[in-house]
Amino acid sequence: MSNDKSLKYDFSAIERKWQRKWQENKTFQVEIDRNLPKYYLLEMFPYPSGRIHMGHVRNYSIGDVIARYKRMNGFNVMHPIGWDAFGLPAENAAIKNNSHPAKWTYENIDYMKSQLRKMGFSYDWNRELATCDPEYYRWEQLFFVQLYKKGLIYQKVTTVNWCESCRTVLANEQVIDGCCWRCDQQIIPREMNGWFFKITDYADELLDWCDKLTGWPDKVLTMQRNWIGKSLGAEVDFPVDGWDESLKIFTTRPDTIFGATFMSIAPEHPLAAKLAQKNGLQKEVSEFVEHTRSARQQQNPDVEPEKEGIFTGGYAVNPYTGDKLPIYTANFVLMEYGTGAVMAVPAHDQRDFEFAHKYDIPIKVVIQPPGAELDAATMTEAHEGPGILVDSAGFSGMDSAEAKKAITSHGEEQGFARQRITYRLRDWGISRQRYWGSPIPMIHCPRCGVQPVPEDDLPVELPTDVTFAQSGKSPLHDLESFYKTSCPKCGGEARRETDTMDTFVESSWYYARYCCPGERREPLRREAVDYWLPVDQYIGGVEHAILHLLYARFFTKILRDLGYLGIDEPFADLLTQGMVIKDGTKMSKSKGNVVDPDDLVQQYGADTVRLFSLFAAPPERDLEWSDKGVEGAHRFLHRIFRFVMDKREMLQNAGNGPVAPAGGPERDLHRKTHQTISKVSRDFASFHFNTAISAIMELMNFLSAGAGESSKTIPADFVIKEAVEAIIQLLSPMAPHFCEELWEQIGHKSQLSESRWPVFDPEAAREDEITMVVQVNGKLRGRLSVSAGEDEEKVKEMALAEPNVGKFIADKTIRKIIVVKDKLINIVV
């Protein structure tokens, strides 16, 4: 081999060269082109924390491969990037460093942007946005005002999840195992006034569309269905004995109502305190309520807590039986689900069964399962399934399904019951008591009440002249120059809202704003969003299944109803990639197992890092980090580089040969090339990049063995060139700088990024000879080598003549012979 320095794979110089060319040529900048099919590829945008990590690298490498592959297949691909730039870390950094969150944020954006450019991702940087830019959040404030006017936003006092460490409120979805999703500190309940989006108005539509999102993982859809939690049942009024009021309960099992033996109400239910006070149990009940509220904030939602309760001293009357049922307040009843009160049927609900045993409450069987007879005295667990009703007055003998309808209808006729649908989903509380977020555009007037900021006065910008207290309290609450304003209705003195919006609001519509870069007259240009939306492929972590993905779906629907969008769902297809694992656990600074992408790029180059992250595991599975795997990917690129550069002159001068080489090594290499094109194309379509890389490696091995210096019969130059070009093109979405350089080195004048995906020729990929399995009554008895596409009758003759097969069919009647073309023959005797 020559000692020419150009034969050395100088990845640093190559990557700088092509990053510069792509930027200068605006290679990945796109506009609306109605002559091409569009493809919108989007990865969840990053929070500008300071540095990208290997999770970012994997996520964005997966997306970049898809974007480049689609581009080479003739699609008009939009692949934007931006920054989810509001958030608590910036504010905490400002407190720690005595600086402004904007300074910290934009410095991080600049650094992370340089990191992403070094990775060679095919972003249209012309569409870059940062959610902390007033030119972005001004439109979010406009949406807020318009939604408020439509009655889809309201303010109320409620018990909220308060994080003392972060000094702010969290939505229910942001509380993980009783702790803050950001800082992992324990959450405490607190009553506060806050703003809410009426996401519950869209509960049915959100649920119905889960059945139409065929490109989403089942696990994500299941999580969303469960979170929405739709239940069909009956609402029944249980009069409180001696009181002029009733307990409303919701049940999905009205067929069991004759088996109710006690009532359970949530600790926060207003009747709990009233009954306790009347019956001299105020101290005991109050202590239990506080204990339960505190315990709930700490409990793991996946772990069922021990059933606890306390008798309030009151009774409710079952309207179907007239029985008086003791009323308990219990830790397993939630005020926010249903009515905050439930009828307890211990024979047919396991939770009630355990509670009844603990507090010595009677158990009554009213459903008998088929083929069995339950006895309350000997039951060891509740029977929660359907069956035939017993001891249920005129409904005895009915099956459960029939009885549910009949019992509800009877209650409706009598006026104490009605059919109802309930949801687990609650309205989205978006008020946050921190500075670094979008100001809520509302004004509180002592005369006119709450008034929206006039649309012409938007945006309400965050003030920059602020000082941050070490306590973490937002400076907006005490900054007179910010909160002091005039009422837009009466002109009198008023106070501006000092809470800011939950940062999930910004990430709920950013995908649409990418369609309209530089638009200053309106939030979304309808021509652009109608062309680009929905996002064809969205990529991100499964941890966002409920928070971000549910909110983005909701926001799409409200923007549609405001007239800004013409779509029902934001993301047609969703890919949730796995985590990056090292030493058996997820990479994190706290565990000390982080691998810095910058160090890897410096040592091996971006293309090696990309190739390893794609080769080590399928996208949906966790990737186990391996230093040897990185080195192996680097060696593979070196090997291709040496081979191509060694044959560079030949490849530059090689002409085009026959469409289909007749035979010999030319035919073999030609066939292998097209088999690889087919395999890689199929793998790309299913995002199996690891097996696609394996197929390219196989072709490279075949090429090296047949066209290397030690080979006795070297294929013609034009066949070698075809194989080399295929390798470069197929590998290019994964190692783009590397492949651009080799494409240029073998004589091409245009960028590889502008070339088309190699065309698969089925005839070229056809094997000359294939091996067919021969079975007798389904058992393997031999193998045949036959010409591909051989006549079926000829194949049958050859199978019957195969010596080993003859042993198993001798002296037997052949009933039929089944031939699966080019695969197997089954002789049935």
Side-chain angles (χ1 to χ4, degrees):
M1 182 183 283
S2 168
N3 290 323
D4 188 338
K5 287 185 178 180
S6 64
L7 296 181
K8 181 179 181 294
Y9 172 34
D10 185 350
F11 55 82
S12 295
I14 289 171
E15 290 173 1
R16 286 195 302 271
K17 168 185 172 181
W18 288 104
Q19 289 161 14
R20 184 179 65 254
K21 285 197 172 189
W22 293 331
Q23 187 172 352
E24 291 172 352
N25 297 335
K26 299 180 179 178
T27 302
F28 306 111
Q29 189 169 316
V30 292
E31 302 295 341
I32 292 174
D33 186 344
R34 301 193 185 279
N35 295 317
L36 295 175
K38 70 92 180 179
Y39 192 83
Y40 184 176
L41 185 286
L42 183 63
E43 307 97 6
M44 295 180 185
F45 64 168
Y47 178 77
S49 57
R51 304 176 76 88
I52 65 171
H53 52 67
M54 284 308 301
H56 289 127
V57 170
R58 188 185 191 202
N59 187 5
Y60 301 151
S61 294
I62 291 167
D64 198 52
V65 169
I66 300 170
R68 288 175 178 271
Y69 170 68
K70 288 292 184 179
R71 198 167 187 271
M72 293 178 74
N73 276 278
F75 286 84
N76 189 31
V77 177
M78 182 167 79
H79 187 200
I81 188 66
W83 310 96
D84 191 9
F86 273 138
L88 199 57
E91 198 165 337
N92 289 340
I95 295 171
K96 181 179 179 180
N97 301 316
N98 194 27
S99 63
H100 195 278
K103 180 176 184 295
W104 184 87
T105 299
Y106 281 107
E107 285 176 353
N108 288 349
I109 287 175
D110 288 343
Y111 186 78
M112 292 175 70
K113 184 174 180 178
S114 71
Q115 288 183 295
L116 294 178
R117 285 193 182 277
K118 288 177 182 177
M119 291 302 303
F121 297 133
S122 60
Y123 294 132
D124 180 353
W125 286 99
N126 185 53
R127 298 174 184 272
E128 180 186 12
L129 59 80
T131 59
C132 64
D133 185 344
E135 283 302 313
Y136 181 84
Y137 67 74
R138 66 176 292 192
W139 303 119
E140 189 172 297
Q141 293 175 346
L142 175 65
F143 299 151
F144 190 103
V145 169
Q146 293 174 342
L147 291 169
Y148 175 76
K149 291 176 180 178
K150 285 178 67 73
L152 288 169
I153 292 179
Y154 64 93
Q155 190 179 35
K156 71 172 182 178
V157 175
T158 185
T159 301
V160 297
N161 305 302
W162 176 260
C163 177
E164 187 64 28
S165 173
C166 296
R167 302 289 298 174
T168 192
V169 168
L170 303 178
N172 290 339
E173 297 89 338
Q174 296 166 333
V175 178
I176 311 298
D177 296 346
C179 296
C180 174
W181 72 288
R182 291 191 194 93
C183 70
D184 205 32
Q185 295 300 303
Q186 180 183 327
I187 298 305
I188 58 175
R190 175 179 287 189
E191 284 199 348
M192 295 187 72
N193 207 13
W195 291 97
F196 291 79
F197 282 156
K198 294 184 72 174
I199 190 173
T200 53
D201 279 15
Y202 289 79
D204 277 325
E205 187 181 356
L206 288 166
L207 189 61
D208 291 345
W209 269 92
C210 285
D211 295 332
K212 303 174 187 177
L213 295 173
T214 56
W216 283 42
D218 288 340
K219 62 182 178 182
V220 173
L221 295 174
T222 297
M223 292 168 75
Q224 293 214 354
R225 289 188 186 102
N226 291 343
W227 190 260
I228 296 168
K230 183 177 183 178
S231 298
L232 175 64
E235 186 180 76
V236 184
D237 299 329
F238 281 67
V240 179
D241 188 40
W243 291 57
D244 189 22
E245 62 180 288
S246 295
L247 266 181
K248 287 187 185 299
I249 66 99
F250 172 80
T251 177
T252 60
R253 294 293 305 273
D255 55 322
T256 68
I257 202 163
F258 286 84
T261 60
F262 67 99
M263 305 292 288
S264 300
I265 61 177
E268 302 88 351
H269 197 291
L271 195 59
K274 291 180 184 178
L275 290 171
Q277 185 174 17
K278 180 181 179 182
N279 295 295
L281 297 169
Q282 189 172 7
K283 180 176 183 295
E284 293 88 336
V285 171
S286 177
E287 288 176 352
F288 174 79
V289 169
E290 287 305 312
H291 165 74
T292 301
R293 290 175 67 181
S294 177
R296 278 182 181 169
Q297 302 300 327
Q298 303 173 45
Q299 76 184 49
N300 184 334
D302 297 324
V303 178
E304 188 74 17
E306 182 183 352
K307 315 300 180 296
E308 294 181 336
I310 188 169
F311 180 45
T312 62
Y315 292 83
V317 178
N318 186 332
Y320 285 90
T321 66
D323 294 341
K324 291 184 180 181
L325 310 179
I327 301 173
Y328 284 77
T329 180
N331 66 343
F332 52 81
V333 183
L334 304 176
M335 192 64 205
E336 60 267 22
Y337 183 77
T339 64
V342 297
M343 67 171 192
V345 186
H348 305 294
D349 182 280
Q350 185 61 29
R351 183 183 57 187
D352 297 340
F353 182 85
E354 294 172 11
F355 192 90
H357 270 279
K358 182 172 183 177
Y359 294 101
D360 198 24
I361 301 172
I363 297 174
K364 179 182 179 183
V365 175
V366 292
I367 303 284
Q368 290 289 2
E373 186 171 341
L374 300 176
D375 181 353
T378 59
M379 290 176 69
T380 57
E381 62 181 3
H383 169 65
E384 297 183 319
I388 304 299
L389 269 68
V390 296
D391 292 336
S392 299
F395 305 99
S396 295
M398 292 184 179
D399 64 52
S400 292
E402 179 187 8
K404 286 180 181 179
K405 297 176 183 177
I407 289 173
T408 303
S409 295
H410 174 72
E412 287 179 318
E413 292 170 2
Q414 299 300 313
F416 56 72
R418 59 218 63 90
Q419 185 172 291
R420 284 286 184 267
I421 295 173
T422 64
Y423 300 86
R424 181 186 181 213
L425 181 68
R426 291 293 170 261
D427 284 337
W428 176 14
I430 60 94
S431 295
R432 299 295 178 266
Q433 294 68 45
R434 296 305 297 245
Y435 164 81
W436 193 233
S438 172
I440 293 175
M442 303 300 286
I443 292 171
H444 300 270
C445 175
R447 294 160 298 280
C448 306
V450 178
Q451 299 293 319
V453 173
E455 294 180 13
D456 290 343
D457 292 345
L458 299 176
V460 177
E461 291 194 38
L462 281 173
T464 57
D465 56 335
V466 293
T467 302
F468 293 93
Q470 289 299 314
S471 66
K473 181 182 177 182
S474 170
L476 298 180
H477 301 313
D478 301 316
L479 190 64
E480 187 174 302
S481 60
F482 176 76
Y483 69 71
K484 191 173 183 179
T485 187
S486 58
C487 173
K489 187 174 182 180
C490 70
E493 187 175 304
R495 183 181 178 92
R496 192 183 301 282
E497 174 66 65
T498 56
D499 282 356
T500 54
M501 294 191 213
D502 181 1
T503 56
F504 279 100
V505 177
E506 284 85 62
S507 61
S508 292
W509 71 283
Y510 78 109
Y511 71 90
R513 182 63 185 177
Y514 277 143
C515 302
C516 314
E519 177 59 57
R520 300 177 67 88
R521 295 166 299 177
E522 55 186 341
L524 300 170
R525 194 168 67 254
R526 192 59 189 264
E527 177 193 16
V529 294
D530 285 350
Y531 175 80
W532 287 113
L533 296 179
V535 175
D536 294 283
Q537 183 66 60
Y538 198 38
I539 304 172
V542 72
E543 65 272 17
H544 299 291
I546 294 174
L547 287 166
H548 164 58
L549 290 171
L550 186 64
Y551 294 155
R553 294 183 60 216
F554 162 62
F555 232 80
T556 299
K557 298 176 190 304
I558 59 177
L559 291 183
R560 175 202 62 196
D561 293 348
L562 288 174
Y564 291 110
L565 298 178
I567 57 171
D568 298 302
E569 290 286 338
F571 315 121
D573 291 345
L574 173 68
L575 172 64
T576 53
Q577 89 284 351
M579 297 184 295
V580 181
I581 306 294
K582 188 171 186 285
D583 303 328
T585 186
K586 180 182 177 182
M587 280 190 182
S588 70
K589 292 180 181 178
S590 62
K591 295 183 176 69
N593 63 348
V594 170
V595 175
D596 191 335
D598 280 0
D599 295 341
L600 290 172
V601 170
Q602 184 175 356
Q603 185 175 356
Y604 297 105
D607 285 329
T608 291
V609 179
R610 290 169 59 119
L611 193 64
F612 166 74
S613 70
L614 296 162
F615 182 56
E620 69 277 7
R621 296 187 181 177
D622 291 344
L623 182 156
E624 181 68 41
W625 182 260
S626 166
D627 293 334
K628 290 183 178 178
V630 178
E631 292 164 2
H634 196 55
R635 285 196 302 271
F636 176 59
L637 294 182
H638 267 283
R639 184 179 169 211
I640 297 174
F641 196 87
R642 286 194 302 269
F643 182 93
V644 173
M645 298 302 288
D646 191 43
K647 298 185 180 299
R648 176 174 50 178
E649 187 173 346
M650 178 273 284
L651 293 167
Q652 290 173 348
N653 297 322
N656 296 319
V659 174
E666 283 86 4
R667 172 73 179 121
D668 294 340
L669 182 54
H670 183 58
R671 180 193 303 113
K672 184 66 174 176
T673 298
H674 282 271
Q675 289 174 344
T676 304
I677 292 171
S678 175
K679 167 68 173 165
V680 172
S681 298
R682 292 196 310 272
D683 287 346
F684 268 47
S686 59
F687 303 157
H688 290 159
F689 307 122
N690 56 326
T691 53
I693 296 168
S694 294
I696 297 170
M697 289 177 171
E698 286 182 21
L699 177 57
M700 186 63 209
N701 292 340
F702 194 93
L703 176 61
S704 297
E709 294 178 0
S710 61
S711 178
K712 295 180 180 179
T713 54
I714 299 177
D717 292 354
F718 74 87
V719 183
I720 296 175
K721 181 179 180 181
E722 178 191 43
V724 168
E725 287 186 338
I727 289 172
I728 293 172
Q729 288 177 299
L730 297 174
L731 191 61
S732 65
M734 297 173 279
H737 316 85
F738 174 85
C739 293
E740 286 275 19
E741 181 66 20
L742 292 185
W743 192 250
E744 183 181 77
Q745 289 293 337
I746 63 176
H748 290 280
K749 302 302 181 185
S750 61
Q751 286 186 185
L752 175 58
S753 303
E754 305 294 343
S755 75
R756 297 301 295 270
W757 192 251
V759 178
F760 167 59
D761 181 352
E763 183 60 28
R766 183 179 59 82
E767 293 282 358
D768 293 336
E769 280 204 346
I770 58 168
T771 299
M772 295 187 69
V773 169
V774 184
Q775 298 175 336
V776 177
N777 290 346
K779 294 185 177 180
L780 176 63
R781 299 305 184 194
R783 288 183 171 84
L784 294 177
S785 290
V786 301
S787 298
E790 182 66 85
D791 177 74
E792 186 172 308
E793 292 304 315
K794 177 66 173 175
V795 169
K796 289 179 181 179
E797 290 177 15
M798 295 172 68
L800 294 171
E802 209 282 329
N804 193 55
V805 172
K807 300 176 187 177
F808 297 94
I809 62 175
D811 302 324
K812 294 180 181 177
T813 301
I814 297 175
R815 298 169 58 193
K816 61 181 175 179
I817 302 177
I818 302 168
V819 178
V820 179
K821 188 175 177 61
D822 292 345
K823 291 186 178 179
L824 67 83
I825 310 104
N826 185 22
I827 303 168
V828 182
V829 296

